[in-house]
Amino acid sequence: MLEIIGFILAIAIGISLGMIGGGGSTLAVPVLVYLMGVSPVMATGYSLFIIGTTSLVGGFRYAIKGMVNFRIALVFGIPSIISVYATRKFVIPSIPDVIMETGGFALPKERLLMALFALLMIAASYSMIKPQKSKPKQFRGIKFWLIVLLEGIVVGLLTGIVGAGGGFLIIPALVVVARLPMRMAVGTSLIIIAAKSLIGFTGDISNYTVDWTFLGIFTALAIIGIFIGGRLSNQVDANSLKKGFGWFMLAMGVFILGIEFLT
């Protein structure tokens, strides 16, 4: 029964990506772990493939409509790709299974990954929920591009650790720092997510055994969802979309922390 619910939610993952250019991994990792019985370490890897492939389909649709800023995607995406690949290939396998053990308390690697995932969502949600009382400082020229490049490196590192596509971190960066309109940020985010997630996933292939049948079915359902989400996005106000995305991230982050440390 739980697996059936999980496959249904695979469609919801695609809908999230189609509507807001992110949020798919905030569903994918919990669904894979809590409903499909995948270990957190494997779930973070599977999530990269699912989100990357689905984002590639969605990003192509946005690109056709001229709603992708390829210049920003390139400057943000290349350092992010390098960062996420190195993290998945070298950093994650080197983390010990038990991070800390003292007395009767132990902090497993898997619990740490889920906690970091939740905390990142909660932190990123703030910039999306808070009202913009004044325009944030705008950076121009070389300073602007250096900030975009640095954010790409940091997002690649963080999303490589938690196995997220990174939309919940990329969207706030594109909207607040790069000053892209919400729907342009969605299209650009999907292209960045697709490239870095799929390349990041290749860092997992040599380290773990992949269940390609399960992964293929789950990904196909998510792709169906992204077509549905793309249609729905045209019917929702951009500001409402931004704020709703923020509240969704906050709720999921609190939920995951509750599951990991209160049960």
Side-chain angles (χ1 to χ4, degrees), residues 219-231:
T219 303
L221 291 171
I223 289 173
I224 292 172
I226 203 168
F227 283 101
I228 299 171
R231 288 184 175 275

Side-chain angles (χ1 to χ4, degrees), residues 189-220:
S189 171
L190 288 173
I191 293 296
I192 295 169
I193 290 170
K196 73 188 185 68
S197 296
L198 289 173
I199 293 176
F201 175 72
T202 64
D204 279 342
I205 293 176
S206 61
N207 294 326
Y208 308 106
T209 301
V210 177
D211 184 345
W212 289 105
T213 301
F214 167 78
L215 200 52
I217 294 171
F218 202 98
T219 303

